[in-house]
mmCIF file of all heavy atoms in Angstrom:
data_model
loop_
_atom_site.group_PDB
_atom_site.id
_atom_site.type_symbol
_atom_site.label_atom_id
_atom_site.label_comp_id
_atom_site.label_asym_id
_atom_site.label_seq_id
_atom_site.Cartn_x
_atom_site.Cartn_y
_atom_site.Cartn_z
ATOM 1 N N VAL I 34 -17.605 -48.432 -10.723
ATOM 2 C CA VAL I 34 -17.126 -48.289 -9.382
ATOM 3 C C VAL I 34 -16.808 -49.623 -8.814
ATOM 4 O O VAL I 34 -17.560 -50.565 -8.912
ATOM 5 C CB VAL I 34 -18.204 -47.590 -8.496
ATOM 6 C CG1 VAL I 34 -17.739 -47.456 -7.096
ATOM 7 C CG2 VAL I 34 -18.624 -46.281 -9.098
ATOM 8 N N ARG I 35 -15.624 -49.732 -8.189
ATOM 9 C CA ARG I 35 -15.127 -51.013 -7.686
ATOM 10 C C ARG I 35 -15.745 -51.227 -6.221
ATOM 11 O O ARG I 35 -15.868 -50.205 -5.456
ATOM 12 C CB ARG I 35 -13.610 -51.041 -7.598
ATOM 13 C CG ARG I 35 -12.958 -50.954 -8.925
ATOM 14 C CD ARG I 35 -11.449 -50.701 -8.725
ATOM 15 N NE ARG I 35 -10.783 -50.396 -10.006
ATOM 16 C CZ ARG I 35 -9.583 -49.822 -10.148
ATOM 17 N NH1 ARG I 35 -8.987 -49.445 -9.018
ATOM 18 N NH2 ARG I 35 -9.048 -49.719 -11.281
ATOM 19 N N ARG I 36 -16.002 -52.428 -5.850
ATOM 20 C CA ARG I 36 -16.438 -52.709 -4.538
ATOM 21 C C ARG I 36 -15.422 -52.281 -3.484
ATOM 22 O O ARG I 36 -14.224 -52.542 -3.621
ATOM 23 C CB ARG I 36 -16.734 -54.195 -4.424
ATOM 24 C CG ARG I 36 -17.324 -54.611 -3.048
ATOM 25 C CD ARG I 36 -17.668 -56.124 -2.912
ATOM 26 N NE ARG I 36 -18.692 -56.484 -3.782
ATOM 27 C CZ ARG I 36 -20.027 -56.378 -3.472
ATOM 28 N NH1 ARG I 36 -20.334 -55.809 -2.269
ATOM 29 N NH2 ARG I 36 -20.982 -56.807 -4.264
ATOM 30 N N GLY I 37 -15.876 -51.529 -2.475
ATOM 31 C CA GLY I 37 -14.991 -51.186 -1.367
ATOM 32 C C GLY I 37 -14.279 -49.853 -1.500
ATOM 33 O O GLY I 37 -13.588 -49.475 -0.669
ATOM 34 N N GLU I 38 -14.438 -49.146 -2.676
ATOM 35 C CA GLU I 38 -13.772 -47.931 -2.808
ATOM 36 C C GLU I 38 -14.660 -46.709 -2.555
ATOM 37 O O GLU I 38 -15.917 -46.825 -2.530
ATOM 38 C CB GLU I 38 -13.152 -47.855 -4.247
ATOM 39 C CG GLU I 38 -14.141 -47.512 -5.356
ATOM 40 C CD GLU I 38 -13.436 -47.264 -6.724
ATOM 41 O OE1 GLU I 38 -12.264 -46.924 -6.773
ATOM 42 O OE2 GLU I 38 -14.168 -47.490 -7.769
ATOM 43 N N VAL I 39 -13.999 -45.604 -2.379
ATOM 44 C CA VAL I 39 -14.757 -44.287 -2.390
ATOM 45 C C VAL I 39 -14.450 -43.566 -3.673
ATOM 46 O O VAL I 39 -13.312 -43.195 -3.941
ATOM 47 C CB VAL I 39 -14.253 -43.402 -1.195
ATOM 48 C CG1 VAL I 39 -15.067 -42.086 -1.208
ATOM 49 C CG2 VAL I 39 -14.530 -44.119 0.121
ATOM 50 N N MET I 40 -15.447 -43.464 -4.510
ATOM 51 C CA MET I 40 -15.360 -42.811 -5.838
ATOM 52 C C MET I 40 -15.861 -41.368 -5.770
ATOM 53 O O MET I 40 -17.061 -41.220 -5.382
ATOM 54 C CB MET I 40 -16.069 -43.619 -6.921
ATOM 55 C CG MET I 40 -16.122 -42.933 -8.239
ATOM 56 S SD MET I 40 -14.525 -42.781 -9.013
ATOM 57 C CE MET I 40 -14.403 -44.475 -9.755
ATOM 58 N N GLY I 41 -15.040 -40.392 -5.999
ATOM 59 C CA GLY I 41 -15.493 -39.060 -6.043
ATOM 60 C C GLY I 41 -15.984 -38.736 -7.531
ATOM 61 O O GLY I 41 -15.440 -39.282 -8.426
ATOM 62 N N VAL I 42 -16.986 -37.943 -7.630
ATOM 63 C CA VAL I 42 -17.475 -37.469 -8.971
ATOM 64 C C VAL I 42 -17.457 -36.009 -8.978
ATOM 65 O O VAL I 42 -18.066 -35.287 -8.197
ATOM 66 C CB VAL I 42 -18.905 -38.035 -9.223
ATOM 67 C CG1 VAL I 42 -19.361 -37.557 -10.566
ATOM 68 C CG2 VAL I 42 -18.965 -39.519 -9.153
ATOM 69 N N VAL I 43 -16.646 -35.422 -9.954
ATOM 70 C CA VAL I 43 -16.489 -33.981 -10.034
ATOM 71 C C VAL I 43 -16.824 -33.560 -11.502
ATOM 72 O O VAL I 43 -16.856 -34.339 -12.405
ATOM 73 C CB VAL I 43 -15.079 -33.502 -9.634
ATOM 74 C CG1 VAL I 43 -14.770 -33.917 -8.205
ATOM 75 C CG2 VAL I 43 -14.028 -34.111 -10.560
ATOM 76 N N GLY I 44 -16.966 -32.268 -11.666
ATOM 77 C CA GLY I 44 -17.160 -31.757 -13.038
ATOM 78 C C GLY I 44 -17.642 -30.269 -12.872
ATOM 79 O O GLY I 44 -18.135 -29.881 -11.814
ATOM 80 N N GLY I 45 -17.621 -29.566 -13.981
ATOM 81 C CA GLY I 45 -18.062 -28.189 -13.977
ATOM 82 C C GLY I 45 -19.573 -28.148 -13.939
ATOM 83 O O GLY I 45 -20.303 -29.145 -14.010
ATOM 84 N N SER I 46 -20.067 -26.927 -13.830
ATOM 85 C CA SER I 46 -21.459 -26.640 -13.795
ATOM 86 C C SER I 46 -22.182 -27.201 -15.050
ATOM 87 O O SER I 46 -21.706 -26.894 -16.148
ATOM 88 C CB SER I 46 -21.855 -25.251 -13.576
ATOM 89 O OG SER I 46 -23.174 -24.947 -13.521
ATOM 90 N N GLY I 47 -23.209 -27.943 -14.949
ATOM 91 C CA GLY I 47 -23.920 -28.402 -16.117
ATOM 92 C C GLY I 47 -23.451 -29.716 -16.701
ATOM 93 O O GLY I 47 -23.948 -30.143 -17.752
ATOM 94 N N THR I 48 -22.426 -30.330 -16.106
ATOM 95 C CA THR I 48 -21.902 -31.539 -16.655
ATOM 96 C C THR I 48 -22.657 -32.810 -16.228
ATOM 97 O O THR I 48 -22.367 -33.924 -16.668
ATOM 98 C CB THR I 48 -20.369 -31.715 -16.240
ATOM 99 O OG1 THR I 48 -20.273 -31.688 -14.761
ATOM 100 C CG2 THR I 48 -19.564 -30.641 -16.867
ATOM 101 N N GLY I 49 -23.602 -32.623 -15.351
ATOM 102 C CA GLY I 49 -24.565 -33.767 -14.997
ATOM 103 C C GLY I 49 -24.018 -34.653 -13.894
ATOM 104 O O GLY I 49 -24.250 -35.915 -13.990
ATOM 105 N N LYS I 50 -23.397 -34.136 -12.856
ATOM 106 C CA LYS I 50 -22.920 -34.938 -11.739
ATOM 107 C C LYS I 50 -24.039 -35.585 -11.034
ATOM 108 O O LYS I 50 -24.083 -36.827 -10.927
ATOM 109 C CB LYS I 50 -22.025 -34.114 -10.851
ATOM 110 C CG LYS I 50 -20.834 -33.476 -11.486
ATOM 111 C CD LYS I 50 -20.001 -32.677 -10.534
ATOM 112 C CE LYS I 50 -20.722 -31.475 -9.947
ATOM 113 N NZ LYS I 50 -21.035 -30.406 -10.967
ATOM 114 N N SER I 51 -24.973 -34.708 -10.550
ATOM 115 C CA SER I 51 -26.062 -35.256 -9.758
ATOM 116 C C SER I 51 -27.005 -36.003 -10.685
ATOM 117 O O SER I 51 -27.701 -36.947 -10.191
ATOM 118 C CB SER I 51 -26.818 -34.036 -9.062
ATOM 119 O OG SER I 51 -26.005 -33.407 -8.061
ATOM 120 N N VAL I 52 -27.127 -35.621 -11.903
ATOM 121 C CA VAL I 52 -27.984 -36.371 -12.874
ATOM 122 C C VAL I 52 -27.490 -37.806 -13.042
ATOM 123 O O VAL I 52 -28.287 -38.767 -12.979
ATOM 124 C CB VAL I 52 -27.966 -35.664 -14.280
ATOM 125 C CG1 VAL I 52 -28.620 -36.535 -15.286
ATOM 126 C CG2 VAL I 52 -28.742 -34.337 -14.120
ATOM 127 N N LEU I 53 -26.170 -37.994 -13.134
ATOM 128 C CA LEU I 53 -25.628 -39.338 -13.236
ATOM 129 C C LEU I 53 -26.011 -40.175 -12.006
ATOM 130 O O LEU I 53 -26.410 -41.334 -12.130
ATOM 131 C CB LEU I 53 -24.092 -39.247 -13.380
ATOM 132 C CG LEU I 53 -23.295 -40.573 -13.404
ATOM 133 C CD1 LEU I 53 -23.801 -41.478 -14.472
ATOM 134 C CD2 LEU I 53 -21.817 -40.337 -13.398
ATOM 135 N N LEU I 54 -25.847 -39.555 -10.839
ATOM 136 C CA LEU I 54 -26.255 -40.276 -9.628
ATOM 137 C C LEU I 54 -27.739 -40.692 -9.690
ATOM 138 O O LEU I 54 -28.141 -41.822 -9.387
ATOM 139 C CB LEU I 54 -26.002 -39.436 -8.411
ATOM 140 C CG LEU I 54 -26.147 -40.028 -6.928
ATOM 141 C CD1 LEU I 54 -25.247 -39.309 -5.986
ATOM 142 C CD2 LEU I 54 -27.603 -39.883 -6.528
ATOM 143 N N LYS I 55 -28.602 -39.709 -10.064
ATOM 144 C CA LYS I 55 -30.033 -40.000 -10.090
ATOM 145 C C LYS I 55 -30.354 -41.032 -11.143
ATOM 146 O O LYS I 55 -31.368 -41.757 -11.016
ATOM 147 C CB LYS I 55 -30.752 -38.687 -10.337
ATOM 148 C CG LYS I 55 -30.746 -37.735 -9.144
ATOM 149 C CD LYS I 55 -31.385 -36.343 -9.451
ATOM 150 C CE LYS I 55 -31.307 -35.492 -8.253
ATOM 151 N NZ LYS I 55 -31.817 -34.126 -8.507
ATOM 152 N N GLU I 56 -29.656 -41.135 -12.239
ATOM 153 C CA GLU I 56 -29.848 -42.117 -13.240
ATOM 154 C C GLU I 56 -29.503 -43.533 -12.599
ATOM 155 O O GLU I 56 -30.271 -44.492 -12.843
ATOM 156 C CB GLU I 56 -29.016 -41.911 -14.483
ATOM 157 C CG GLU I 56 -29.609 -40.721 -15.270
ATOM 158 C CD GLU I 56 -28.734 -40.376 -16.456
ATOM 159 O OE1 GLU I 56 -27.417 -40.455 -16.365
ATOM 160 O OE2 GLU I 56 -29.271 -39.900 -17.538
ATOM 161 N N ILE I 57 -28.449 -43.648 -11.919
ATOM 162 C CA ILE I 57 -28.067 -44.889 -11.341
ATOM 163 C C ILE I 57 -29.116 -45.414 -10.334
ATOM 164 O O ILE I 57 -29.398 -46.564 -10.313
ATOM 165 C CB ILE I 57 -26.719 -44.787 -10.648
ATOM 166 C CG1 ILE I 57 -25.598 -44.465 -11.716
ATOM 167 C CG2 ILE I 57 -26.278 -46.058 -9.887
ATOM 168 C CD1 ILE I 57 -24.215 -44.161 -11.082
ATOM 169 N N ILE I 58 -29.629 -44.520 -9.548
ATOM 170 C CA ILE I 58 -30.641 -44.933 -8.554
ATOM 171 C C ILE I 58 -32.061 -44.872 -9.068
ATOM 172 O O ILE I 58 -33.014 -45.097 -8.306
ATOM 173 C CB ILE I 58 -30.502 -44.116 -7.235
ATOM 174 C CG1 ILE I 58 -30.910 -42.639 -7.475
ATOM 175 C CG2 ILE I 58 -29.115 -44.197 -6.715
ATOM 176 C CD1 ILE I 58 -30.915 -41.783 -6.209
ATOM 177 N N GLY I 59 -32.289 -44.678 -10.327
ATOM 178 C CA GLY I 59 -33.563 -44.802 -10.915
ATOM 179 C C GLY I 59 -34.495 -43.608 -10.854
ATOM 180 O O GLY I 59 -35.699 -43.759 -11.146
ATOM 181 N N LEU I 60 -34.036 -42.423 -10.504
ATOM 182 C CA LEU I 60 -34.877 -41.331 -10.429
ATOM 183 C C LEU I 60 -35.063 -40.616 -11.788
ATOM 184 O O LEU I 60 -35.967 -39.895 -12.044
ATOM 185 C CB LEU I 60 -34.357 -40.318 -9.408
ATOM 186 C CG LEU I 60 -34.326 -40.728 -7.991
ATOM 187 C CD1 LEU I 60 -33.843 -39.679 -7.101
ATOM 188 C CD2 LEU I 60 -35.680 -41.166 -7.529
ATOM 189 N N ILE I 61 -34.049 -40.791 -12.735
ATOM 190 C CA ILE I 61 -34.020 -40.299 -14.023
ATOM 191 C C ILE I 61 -33.694 -41.450 -14.998
ATOM 192 O O ILE I 61 -32.757 -42.154 -14.699
ATOM 193 C CB ILE I 61 -33.044 -39.091 -14.215
ATOM 194 C CG1 ILE I 61 -33.445 -37.979 -13.369
ATOM 195 C CG2 ILE I 61 -33.037 -38.680 -15.688
ATOM 196 C CD1 ILE I 61 -32.403 -36.755 -13.397
ATOM 197 N N ARG I 62 -34.449 -41.547 -16.065
ATOM 198 C CA ARG I 62 -34.107 -42.625 -17.035
ATOM 199 C C ARG I 62 -33.289 -41.992 -18.186
ATOM 200 O O ARG I 62 -33.709 -40.996 -18.827
ATOM 201 C CB ARG I 62 -35.404 -43.250 -17.581
ATOM 202 C CG ARG I 62 -35.128 -44.491 -18.494
ATOM 203 C CD ARG I 62 -36.399 -45.239 -18.868
ATOM 204 N NE ARG I 62 -35.991 -46.426 -19.628
ATOM 205 C CZ ARG I 62 -35.634 -47.630 -19.136
ATOM 206 N NH1 ARG I 62 -35.616 -47.764 -17.840
ATOM 207 N NH2 ARG I 62 -35.350 -48.601 -19.980
ATOM 208 N N PRO I 63 -32.153 -42.571 -18.501
ATOM 209 C CA PRO I 63 -31.285 -42.011 -19.625
ATOM 210 C C PRO I 63 -31.946 -42.318 -20.897
ATOM 211 O O PRO I 63 -32.774 -43.156 -21.137
ATOM 212 C CB PRO I 63 -30.037 -42.852 -19.405
ATOM 213 C CG PRO I 63 -30.361 -44.112 -18.805
ATOM 214 C CD PRO I 63 -31.539 -43.741 -17.889
ATOM 215 N N ALA I 64 -31.498 -41.545 -21.935
ATOM 216 C CA ALA I 64 -31.933 -41.749 -23.295
ATOM 217 C C ALA I 64 -31.485 -43.072 -23.908
ATOM 218 O O ALA I 64 -32.147 -43.715 -24.756
ATOM 219 C CB ALA I 64 -31.537 -40.566 -24.165
#
Side-chain angles (χ1 to χ4, degrees):
V34 179
R35 300 167 185 162
R36 183 180 291 277
E38 75 173 338
V39 179
M40 173 66 83
V42 180
V43 301
S46 178
T48 55
K50 303 181 293 295
S51 295
V52 170
L53 175 60
L54 185 153
K55 290 176 181 176
E56 287 174 325
I57 295 171
I58 65 176
L60 297 181
I61 297 175
R62 187 171 183 87

